[in-house]
Amino acid sequence: MSAFDIDRVLRPHMLDLEPYRSARHDFSDGVLLDANENPYGLAPAWAGNSLNRYPDPVQNELCSRLADLNGVERDSVFVSASSDEAIDLLLRLFCSPGRDAVAICEPTYGMYRVAAAVHDVRVLAVPLADGFQLDVAAVADRCAGDIPPKLIFCCSPNNPTGNLLDGGEIVRLCSAVDAVVVVDEAYIEFADAESLARRVRGIPNLVVIRTLSKAWALAGVRIGYAIASPRLIGYLRKIKPPYNVGSLAAAVALETLADPGRMRRVIDEVAAERERVAGLLRGLRSIETVYPSNANFLLIKCAGATELQRRLAATGIIVRDRSMEPGLSGCLRITIGTPRENDLLISALTAMEGMTP
Ligand SMILES: *Cc1c(COP(=O)(O)O)cnc(C)c1O
Protein backbone atom coordinates (compact mmCIF):
# COMPACT_ATOMS: atom_id res chain seq x y z
CA MET A 1 0.00 0.00 0.00
CA SER A 2 1.28 3.51 -0.85
CA ALA A 3 1.86 5.93 2.01
CA PHE A 4 -1.27 7.42 3.53
CA ASP A 5 -2.03 10.92 2.25
CA ILE A 6 -4.72 12.69 4.22
CA ASP A 7 -5.50 15.04 1.33
CA ARG A 8 -6.68 12.11 -0.80
CA VAL A 9 -8.98 10.77 1.95
CA LEU A 10 -10.56 14.05 3.14
CA ARG A 11 -13.75 15.37 1.59
CA PRO A 12 -12.23 17.31 -1.33
CA HIS A 13 -13.80 20.66 -0.43
CA MET A 14 -11.95 20.64 2.93
CA LEU A 15 -8.65 21.24 1.16
CA ASP A 16 -9.23 24.93 0.52
CA LEU A 17 -12.04 25.67 2.90
CA GLU A 18 -11.58 29.05 4.59
CA PRO A 19 -12.15 28.77 8.35
CA TYR A 20 -14.16 31.34 10.31
CA ARG A 21 -11.83 33.90 11.82
CA SER A 22 -13.07 34.92 15.21
CA ALA A 23 -12.48 38.32 16.76
CA ARG A 24 -10.62 36.69 19.66
CA HIS A 25 -7.96 35.23 17.34
CA ASP A 26 -6.46 38.68 16.82
CA PHE A 27 -6.89 40.52 20.12
CA SER A 28 -7.82 39.31 23.60
CA ASP A 29 -7.23 42.41 25.67
CA GLY A 30 -7.64 46.15 25.33
CA VAL A 31 -10.88 48.07 24.86
CA LEU A 32 -12.75 45.15 23.35
CA LEU A 33 -15.36 46.58 21.01
CA ASP A 34 -14.90 43.92 18.36
CA ALA A 35 -17.11 40.96 19.28
CA ASN A 36 -20.51 42.41 20.20
CA GLU A 37 -20.16 41.17 23.77
CA ASN A 38 -22.00 42.70 26.70
CA PRO A 39 -19.58 44.81 28.75
CA TYR A 40 -21.87 45.13 31.78
CA GLY A 41 -21.01 41.69 33.10
CA LEU A 42 -23.06 39.15 34.96
CA ALA A 43 -24.97 38.80 38.18
CA PRO A 44 -22.67 39.25 41.22
CA ALA A 45 -22.12 35.53 41.86
CA TRP A 46 -20.44 35.15 38.46
CA ALA A 47 -18.98 38.62 38.06
CA GLY A 48 -15.26 39.16 37.75
CA ASN A 49 -14.51 36.04 35.73
CA SER A 50 -15.00 37.40 32.21
CA LEU A 51 -17.87 35.10 31.33
CA ASN A 52 -19.38 37.96 29.34
CA ARG A 53 -16.42 37.54 26.93
CA TYR A 54 -16.02 34.87 24.29
CA PRO A 55 -13.61 32.11 25.31
CA ASP A 56 -10.17 31.48 23.84
CA PRO A 57 -10.92 29.93 20.43
CA VAL A 58 -7.65 27.96 20.33
CA GLN A 59 -7.45 26.81 23.98
CA ASN A 60 -3.66 26.93 23.89
CA GLU A 61 -3.20 26.42 27.61
CA LEU A 62 -5.44 23.37 27.77
CA CYS A 63 -3.85 21.94 24.62
CA SER A 64 -0.38 22.36 26.11
CA ARG A 65 -1.37 20.70 29.35
CA LEU A 66 -2.97 17.74 27.56
CA ALA A 67 0.05 17.48 25.25
CA ASP A 68 2.43 17.37 28.25
CA LEU A 69 0.34 14.75 30.03
CA ASN A 70 0.39 12.56 26.94
CA GLY A 71 3.99 13.12 25.87
CA VAL A 72 3.07 14.62 22.49
CA GLU A 73 3.51 18.03 20.83
CA ARG A 74 0.85 20.69 21.28
CA ASP A 75 0.10 20.76 17.55
CA SER A 76 -0.91 17.09 17.80
CA VAL A 77 -3.75 17.88 20.20
CA PHE A 78 -7.26 19.09 19.39
CA VAL A 79 -9.52 19.99 22.32
CA SER A 80 -13.21 19.40 21.78
CA ALA A 81 -16.41 19.86 23.73
CA SER A 82 -16.55 16.10 24.54
CA SER A 83 -15.28 13.16 22.54
CA ASP A 84 -18.70 12.97 20.92
CA GLU A 85 -17.84 16.31 19.28
CA ALA A 86 -14.50 14.91 18.10
CA ILE A 87 -16.32 11.95 16.52
CA ASP A 88 -18.77 14.32 14.83
CA LEU A 89 -16.00 16.53 13.44
CA LEU A 90 -14.06 13.52 12.12
CA LEU A 91 -17.19 12.44 10.24
CA ARG A 92 -17.62 15.95 8.80
CA LEU A 93 -14.00 16.04 7.72
CA PHE A 94 -13.81 12.67 5.97
CA CYS A 95 -17.29 11.46 5.03
CA SER A 96 -19.56 12.89 2.36
CA PRO A 97 -23.22 12.39 3.28
CA GLY A 98 -25.02 9.85 1.15
CA ARG A 99 -21.79 8.59 -0.35
CA ASP A 100 -19.13 7.52 2.13
CA ALA A 101 -18.94 4.82 4.79
CA VAL A 102 -17.29 4.13 8.13
CA ALA A 103 -16.44 0.78 9.68
CA ILE A 104 -17.16 -0.17 13.26
CA CYS A 105 -16.14 -3.30 15.15
CA GLU A 106 -19.19 -4.63 17.00
CA PRO A 107 -20.27 -4.98 19.72
CA THR A 108 -19.10 -1.48 20.54
CA TYR A 109 -20.05 2.06 21.62
CA GLY A 110 -23.40 2.99 20.08
CA MET A 111 -22.49 6.60 19.27
CA TYR A 112 -20.40 5.69 16.21
CA ARG A 113 -23.50 4.31 14.51
CA VAL A 114 -25.70 7.23 15.58
CA ALA A 115 -23.14 9.87 14.58
CA ALA A 116 -22.75 8.19 11.17
CA ALA A 117 -26.54 8.08 10.73
CA VAL A 118 -26.81 11.79 11.56
CA HIS A 119 -24.41 12.48 8.70
CA ASP A 120 -26.16 10.01 6.37
CA VAL A 121 -22.97 7.96 6.27
CA ARG A 122 -23.17 4.21 5.74
CA VAL A 123 -21.95 1.88 8.50
CA LEU A 124 -20.01 -1.29 7.72
CA ALA A 125 -20.19 -3.46 10.83
CA VAL A 126 -17.39 -5.97 11.26
CA PRO A 127 -17.80 -8.40 14.16
CA LEU A 128 -15.04 -8.52 16.74
CA ALA A 129 -13.26 -11.89 16.80
CA ASP A 130 -12.95 -14.28 19.77
CA GLY A 131 -12.37 -12.55 23.07
CA PHE A 132 -13.85 -9.39 21.48
CA GLN A 133 -10.54 -8.79 19.66
CA LEU A 134 -9.97 -6.78 16.52
CA ASP A 135 -10.24 -8.87 13.35
CA VAL A 136 -7.70 -7.06 11.19
CA ALA A 137 -8.17 -9.35 8.19
CA ALA A 138 -11.97 -8.91 8.24
CA VAL A 139 -11.72 -5.11 8.51
CA ALA A 140 -9.10 -4.95 5.75
CA ASP A 141 -11.42 -7.10 3.65
CA ARG A 142 -14.25 -4.58 4.01
CA CYS A 143 -11.80 -1.85 3.00
CA ALA A 144 -11.33 -3.66 -0.29
CA GLY A 145 -15.10 -3.62 -1.04
CA ASP A 146 -17.02 -1.20 -3.34
CA ILE A 147 -17.48 1.44 -0.64
CA PRO A 148 -14.23 1.52 1.31
CA PRO A 149 -14.73 3.12 4.72
CA LYS A 150 -13.08 6.49 5.30
CA LEU A 151 -12.93 5.99 9.08
CA ILE A 152 -12.54 2.80 11.11
CA PHE A 153 -13.64 3.10 14.74
CA CYS A 154 -11.81 0.90 17.26
CA CYS A 155 -12.69 1.28 20.91
CA SER A 156 -9.98 0.24 23.37
CA PRO A 157 -10.79 -0.62 26.12
CA ASN A 158 -14.02 -1.44 24.33
CA ASN A 159 -17.39 -0.31 25.62
CA PRO A 160 -19.39 -2.39 26.57
CA THR A 161 -17.12 -5.46 26.58
CA GLY A 162 -14.42 -3.91 28.78
CA ASN A 163 -11.41 -5.49 27.08
CA LEU A 164 -8.41 -3.79 25.52
CA LEU A 165 -7.78 -4.31 21.84
CA ASP A 166 -4.26 -5.48 21.08
CA GLY A 167 -2.24 -2.32 20.33
CA GLY A 168 0.02 -4.17 17.89
CA GLU A 169 -3.04 -5.27 15.89
CA ILE A 170 -4.33 -1.69 15.73
CA VAL A 171 -0.97 -0.54 14.40
CA ARG A 172 -1.05 -3.40 11.88
CA LEU A 173 -4.54 -2.29 10.78
CA CYS A 174 -3.24 1.26 10.25
CA SER A 175 -0.63 0.03 7.81
CA ALA A 176 -3.06 -2.30 6.03
CA VAL A 177 -5.71 0.28 5.10
CA ASP A 178 -6.04 3.61 3.31
CA ALA A 179 -8.51 4.92 5.89
CA VAL A 180 -8.24 6.82 9.16
CA VAL A 181 -8.17 4.50 12.17
CA VAL A 182 -9.91 6.22 15.10
CA VAL A 183 -8.98 4.62 18.41
CA ASP A 184 -11.38 5.66 21.16
CA GLU A 185 -9.46 5.45 24.42
CA ALA A 186 -12.20 6.81 26.73
CA TYR A 187 -11.24 4.20 29.37
CA ILE A 188 -7.49 3.83 28.78
CA GLU A 189 -6.53 5.25 32.19
CA PHE A 190 -8.23 2.26 33.86
CA ALA A 191 -6.27 -0.25 31.77
CA ASP A 192 -2.94 -1.97 32.27
CA ALA A 193 -1.70 -0.58 28.99
CA GLU A 194 -0.09 2.38 27.32
CA SER A 195 -2.15 4.77 25.26
CA LEU A 196 -1.43 4.75 21.53
CA ALA A 197 -1.16 8.55 21.74
CA ARG A 198 2.59 8.65 21.22
CA ARG A 199 2.34 6.47 18.12
CA VAL A 200 0.60 9.23 16.12
CA ARG A 201 4.01 10.74 15.36
CA GLY A 202 4.87 7.86 13.03
CA ILE A 203 1.38 6.82 11.87
CA PRO A 204 -0.36 9.48 9.74
CA ASN A 205 -3.73 7.69 9.66
CA LEU A 206 -4.05 7.13 13.43
CA VAL A 207 -6.31 9.33 15.57
CA VAL A 208 -6.62 8.69 19.30
CA ILE A 209 -9.65 10.18 21.01
CA ARG A 210 -9.73 10.74 24.72
CA THR A 211 -12.08 12.29 27.21
CA LEU A 212 -12.06 13.89 30.64
CA SER A 213 -15.49 12.32 31.30
CA LYS A 214 -14.35 9.04 32.87
CA ALA A 215 -11.02 8.83 34.72
CA TRP A 216 -10.95 12.59 35.33
CA ALA A 217 -14.56 12.54 36.57
CA LEU A 218 -15.65 15.54 34.47
CA ALA A 219 -18.57 14.08 32.48
CA GLY A 220 -20.69 17.15 33.22
CA VAL A 221 -18.04 19.53 31.92
CA ARG A 222 -17.87 18.15 28.33
CA ILE A 223 -14.20 18.13 27.40
CA GLY A 224 -12.60 15.60 25.10
CA TYR A 225 -9.60 15.67 22.83
CA ALA A 226 -8.07 14.08 19.79
CA ILE A 227 -4.40 13.26 19.27
CA ALA A 228 -3.14 12.85 15.72
CA SER A 229 -0.59 14.13 13.22
CA PRO A 230 -0.37 17.94 13.13
CA ARG A 231 -1.82 17.87 9.60
CA LEU A 232 -4.94 16.05 10.66
CA ILE A 233 -5.27 18.20 13.78
CA GLY A 234 -4.91 21.29 11.60
CA TYR A 235 -7.98 20.25 9.62
CA LEU A 236 -10.02 19.65 12.79
CA ARG A 237 -9.09 23.13 13.99
CA LYS A 238 -10.14 24.55 10.65
CA ILE A 239 -13.68 23.13 10.79
CA LYS A 240 -14.52 23.35 14.49
CA PRO A 241 -17.10 25.83 15.76
CA PRO A 242 -14.95 28.84 16.70
CA TYR A 243 -15.80 28.83 20.41
CA ASN A 244 -16.47 25.13 20.97
CA VAL A 245 -14.93 24.99 24.46
CA GLY A 246 -16.39 27.39 27.00
CA SER A 247 -14.25 29.29 29.51
CA LEU A 248 -15.86 27.66 32.56
CA ALA A 249 -15.24 24.18 31.17
CA ALA A 250 -11.64 25.05 30.29
CA ALA A 251 -11.01 26.48 33.77
CA VAL A 252 -12.39 23.41 35.55
CA ALA A 253 -10.42 21.14 33.22
CA LEU A 254 -7.13 22.99 33.82
CA GLU A 255 -7.59 22.91 37.55
CA THR A 256 -8.42 19.19 37.51
CA LEU A 257 -5.54 18.30 35.19
CA ALA A 258 -3.13 19.99 37.57
CA ASP A 259 -3.47 17.03 39.94
CA PRO A 260 -2.88 13.80 38.04
CA GLY A 261 -1.90 12.13 41.33
CA ARG A 262 -5.46 12.43 42.56
CA MET A 263 -6.78 10.93 39.32
CA ARG A 264 -4.37 8.00 39.65
CA ARG A 265 -5.40 7.31 43.24
CA VAL A 266 -9.04 7.29 42.22
CA ILE A 267 -8.54 4.97 39.27
CA ASP A 268 -6.49 2.59 41.43
CA GLU A 269 -9.39 2.46 43.83
CA VAL A 270 -11.86 1.88 41.00
CA ALA A 271 -9.68 -0.93 39.62
CA ALA A 272 -9.48 -2.56 43.07
CA GLU A 273 -13.25 -2.29 43.48
CA ARG A 274 -13.74 -3.69 39.98
CA GLU A 275 -11.78 -6.82 40.90
CA ARG A 276 -13.57 -7.16 44.24
CA VAL A 277 -17.01 -6.83 42.61
CA ALA A 278 -16.02 -9.22 39.80
CA GLY A 279 -15.07 -11.81 42.42
CA LEU A 280 -18.36 -11.41 44.26
CA LEU A 281 -20.39 -11.57 41.04
CA ARG A 282 -18.55 -14.75 40.03
CA GLY A 283 -19.75 -16.26 43.31
CA LEU A 284 -23.41 -15.75 42.36
CA ARG A 285 -25.22 -18.74 40.92
CA SER A 286 -27.40 -16.64 38.58
CA ILE A 287 -24.42 -15.09 36.78
CA GLU A 288 -22.85 -17.21 34.06
CA THR A 289 -19.92 -15.04 33.05
CA VAL A 290 -18.17 -11.98 34.37
CA TYR A 291 -15.94 -10.81 31.53
CA PRO A 292 -12.46 -9.53 32.36
CA SER A 293 -12.40 -5.73 32.31
CA ASN A 294 -9.81 -3.04 31.76
CA ALA A 295 -12.35 -0.27 32.27
CA ASN A 296 -14.55 1.13 35.06
CA PHE A 297 -17.39 -1.28 34.35
CA LEU A 298 -18.06 -5.00 34.10
CA LEU A 299 -19.94 -6.91 31.44
CA ILE A 300 -21.82 -9.89 32.80
CA LYS A 301 -23.85 -12.62 31.15
CA CYS A 302 -26.80 -14.18 32.90
CA ALA A 303 -30.11 -15.87 32.20
CA GLY A 304 -33.02 -13.41 31.95
CA ALA A 305 -30.79 -10.32 31.71
CA THR A 306 -33.55 -7.90 30.74
CA GLU A 307 -35.75 -9.12 33.58
CA LEU A 308 -32.84 -8.83 36.01
CA GLN A 309 -32.16 -5.26 34.85
CA ARG A 310 -35.84 -4.40 35.51
CA ARG A 311 -35.84 -6.01 38.94
CA LEU A 312 -32.67 -4.15 39.91
CA ALA A 313 -34.21 -0.89 38.67
CA ALA A 314 -37.25 -1.57 40.84
CA THR A 315 -34.91 -1.64 43.85
CA GLY A 316 -33.32 1.64 42.70
CA ILE A 317 -30.16 0.15 41.20
CA ILE A 318 -29.70 1.07 37.57
CA VAL A 319 -27.50 -0.98 35.25
CA ARG A 320 -27.41 -1.03 31.45
CA ASP A 321 -29.10 -3.78 29.47
CA ARG A 322 -26.85 -4.60 26.51
CA SER A 323 -28.55 -7.88 25.64
CA MET A 324 -29.93 -6.58 22.31
CA GLU A 325 -26.44 -5.73 21.01
CA PRO A 326 -24.87 -8.04 18.44
CA GLY A 327 -23.04 -10.90 20.17
CA LEU A 328 -24.17 -9.82 23.65
CA SER A 329 -27.37 -11.75 24.32
CA GLY A 330 -27.89 -12.07 28.07
CA CYS A 331 -25.44 -9.27 28.84
CA LEU A 332 -25.67 -6.38 31.28
CA ARG A 333 -23.10 -3.64 31.78
CA ILE A 334 -22.49 -2.55 35.34
CA THR A 335 -20.51 0.57 36.21
CA ILE A 336 -18.20 0.31 39.21
CA GLY A 337 -19.53 2.67 41.86
CA THR A 338 -18.33 3.55 45.35
CA PRO A 339 -17.72 0.59 47.70
CA ARG A 340 -21.11 1.31 49.29
CA GLU A 341 -22.94 1.39 45.96
CA ASN A 342 -21.22 -1.83 44.89
CA ASP A 343 -22.24 -3.51 48.15
CA LEU A 344 -25.85 -2.46 47.53
CA LEU A 345 -25.69 -4.07 44.10
CA ILE A 346 -24.29 -7.31 45.47
CA SER A 347 -26.85 -7.42 48.31
CA ALA A 348 -29.72 -6.85 45.87
CA LEU A 349 -28.48 -9.61 43.56
CA THR A 350 -27.94 -11.98 46.49
CA ALA A 351 -31.45 -11.27 47.80
CA MET A 352 -32.95 -11.98 44.37
CA GLU A 353 -31.16 -15.32 44.21
CA GLY A 354 -32.73 -16.19 47.55
CA MET A 355 -36.16 -15.61 46.00
CA THR A 356 -35.70 -17.90 43.00
CA PRO A 357 -35.49 -21.65 43.54
C1 LIG B 1 -18.13 7.50 27.78
C2 LIG B 1 -17.52 7.31 26.44
C3 LIG B 1 -17.04 8.40 25.72
C4 LIG B 1 -17.12 9.75 26.35
O1 LIG B 1 -17.65 10.67 25.60
P1 LIG B 1 -17.73 12.19 26.06
O2 LIG B 1 -18.58 12.71 24.97
O3 LIG B 1 -16.32 12.72 26.01
O4 LIG B 1 -18.31 12.26 27.42
C5 LIG B 1 -16.44 8.19 24.51
N1 LIG B 1 -16.29 6.95 24.00
C6 LIG B 1 -16.72 5.89 24.67
C7 LIG B 1 -16.50 4.54 24.12
C8 LIG B 1 -17.36 6.03 25.90
O5 LIG B 1 -17.83 4.96 26.54
Side-chain angles (χ1 to χ4, degrees):
M1 173 138 335
S2 58
F4 177 83
D5 177 4
I6 186 176
D7 290 355
R8 277 188 298 106
V9 182
L10 283 171
R11 291 165 75 189
H13 72 285
M14 294 294 174
L15 287 170
D16 40 30
L17 183 113
E18 270 305 316
Y20 179 76
R21 242 195 114 64
S22 86
R24 282 300 99 87
H25 272 113
D26 302 315
F27 300 100
S28 56
D29 50 25
V31 179
L32 295 173
L33 303 180
D34 58 336
N36 299 348
E37 296 150 333
N38 184 330
Y40 291 91
L42 285 92
W46 296 97
N49 50 19
S50 305
L51 286 179
N52 59 319
R53 299 293 175 190
Y54 279 104
D56 178 2
V58 289
Q59 294 297 340
N60 273 329
E61 204 183 347
L62 194 47
C63 265
S64 297
R65 182 77 194 127
L66 290 167
D68 289 349
L69 281 168
N70 285 283
V72 298
E73 302 300 318
R74 190 174 75 185
D75 59 2
S76 280
V77 178
F78 171 75
V79 185
S80 55
S82 80
S83 39
D84 290 338
E85 187 190 48
I87 293 167
D88 182 79
L89 291 173
L90 286 165
L91 277 156
R92 287 171 196 258
L93 199 51
F94 291 99
C95 302
S96 293
R99 191 156 71 219
D100 284 325
V102 298
I104 62 174
C105 305
E106 283 187 327
T108 193
Y109 185 43
M111 266 308 288
Y112 312 136
R113 210 176 245 292
V114 173
V118 167
H119 288 279
D120 190 18
V121 163
R122 185 188 299 224
V123 174
L124 311 174
V126 182
L128 288 168
D130 286 349
F132 301 122
Q133 276 304 318
L134 187 59
D135 189 341
V136 175
V139 179
D141 222 42
R142 294 306 291 269
C143 293
D146 344 323
I147 308 182
K150 293 291 194 78
L151 303 174
I152 301 166
F153 287 99
C154 300
C155 188
S156 179
N158 188 36
N159 177 4
T161 59
N163 62 292
L164 272 165
L165 303 183
D166 184 294
E169 291 290 279
I170 295 176
V171 169
R172 205 159 69 78
L173 177 65
C174 292
S175 59
V177 298
D178 201 24
V180 174
V181 176
V182 182
V183 182
D184 185 343
E185 290 188 337
Y187 300 97
I188 192 71
E189 293 91 341
F190 298 99
D192 315 310
E194 282 268 311
S195 163
L196 287 174
R198 288 171 199 242
R199 305 299 300 268
V200 302
R201 189 190 294 271
I203 309 180
N205 58 335
L206 174 64
V207 181
V208 174
I209 52 183
R210 304 282 295 270
T211 179
L212 304 192
S213 294
K214 308 287 161 55
W216 293 95
L218 293 181
V221 169
R222 313 308 298 136
I223 304 266
Y225 58 106
I227 299 177
S229 71
R231 274 190 71 200
L232 198 153
I233 294 298
Y235 280 112
L236 287 173
R237 291 189 177 153
K238 194 156 124 165
I239 67 164
K240 82 181 182 73
Y243 306 110
N244 60 328
V245 173
S247 8
L248 273 185
V252 177
L254 274 169
E255 206 162 294
T256 307
L257 291 170
D259 192 358
R262 180 177 184 281
M263 184 275 280
R264 276 186 219 109
R265 284 191 298 280
V266 170
I267 60 170
D268 284 349
E269 187 165 331
V270 171
E273 270 300 285
R274 177 186 71 210
E275 297 314 310
R276 182 181 77 91
V277 174
L280 292 168
L281 291 171
R282 288 192 181 106
L284 294 175
R285 171 166 56 78
S286 55
I287 293 170
E288 279 165 43
T289 312
V290 179
Y291 294 91
S293 170
N294 263 290
N296 65 341
F297 55 83
L298 289 166
L299 185 75
I300 65 165
K301 194 184 187 82
C302 55
T306 302
E307 177 58 19
L308 186 63
Q309 184 269 335
R310 282 204 205 101
R311 289 172 72 195
L312 280 172
T315 72
I317 296 171
I318 317 302
V319 302
R320 198 89 197 267
D321 185 2
R322 298 281 81 185
S323 61
M324 303 312 234
E325 299 294 311
L328 295 186
S329 69
C331 288
L332 301 178
R333 191 194 68 196
I334 305 177
T335 305
I336 300 303
T338 61
R340 187 180 154 270
E341 290 172 328
N342 302 331
D343 288 342
L344 289 170
L345 167 80
I346 299 294
S347 314
L349 289 170
T350 309
M352 285 174 198
E353 287 204 340
M355 285 186 277
T356 43

mmCIF file of all heavy atoms in Angstrom, residues 26 311 316:
data_model
loop_
_atom_site.group_PDB
_atom_site.id
_atom_site.type_symbol
_atom_site.label_atom_id
_atom_site.label_comp_id
_atom_site.label_asym_id
_atom_site.label_seq_id
_atom_site.Cartn_x
_atom_site.Cartn_y
_atom_site.Cartn_z
ATOM 1 N N ASP A 26 -7.397 37.584 17.057
ATOM 2 C CA ASP A 26 -6.464 38.676 16.822
ATOM 3 C C ASP A 26 -6.121 39.454 18.080
ATOM 4 O O ASP A 26 -4.970 39.803 18.297
ATOM 5 C CB ASP A 26 -7.040 39.616 15.762
ATOM 6 C CG ASP A 26 -7.323 38.868 14.465
ATOM 7 O OD1 ASP A 26 -6.443 38.079 14.063
ATOM 8 O OD2 ASP A 26 -8.409 39.050 13.887
ATOM 9 N N ARG A 311 -35.679 -5.770 37.493
ATOM 10 C CA ARG A 311 -35.841 -6.008 38.936
ATOM 11 C C ARG A 311 -34.859 -5.163 39.736
ATOM 12 O O ARG A 311 -35.194 -4.646 40.798
ATOM 13 C CB ARG A 311 -35.679 -7.502 39.243
ATOM 14 C CG ARG A 311 -36.865 -8.319 38.741
ATOM 15 C CD ARG A 311 -36.631 -9.801 38.865
ATOM 16 N NE ARG A 311 -36.667 -10.274 40.244
ATOM 17 C CZ ARG A 311 -36.212 -11.460 40.643
ATOM 18 N NH1 ARG A 311 -35.656 -12.281 39.763
ATOM 19 N NH2 ARG A 311 -36.296 -11.818 41.894
ATOM 20 N N GLY A 316 -34.056 0.373 42.746
ATOM 21 C CA GLY A 316 -33.320 1.637 42.702
ATOM 22 C C GLY A 316 -31.890 1.507 42.213
ATOM 23 O O GLY A 316 -31.124 2.462 42.274
#
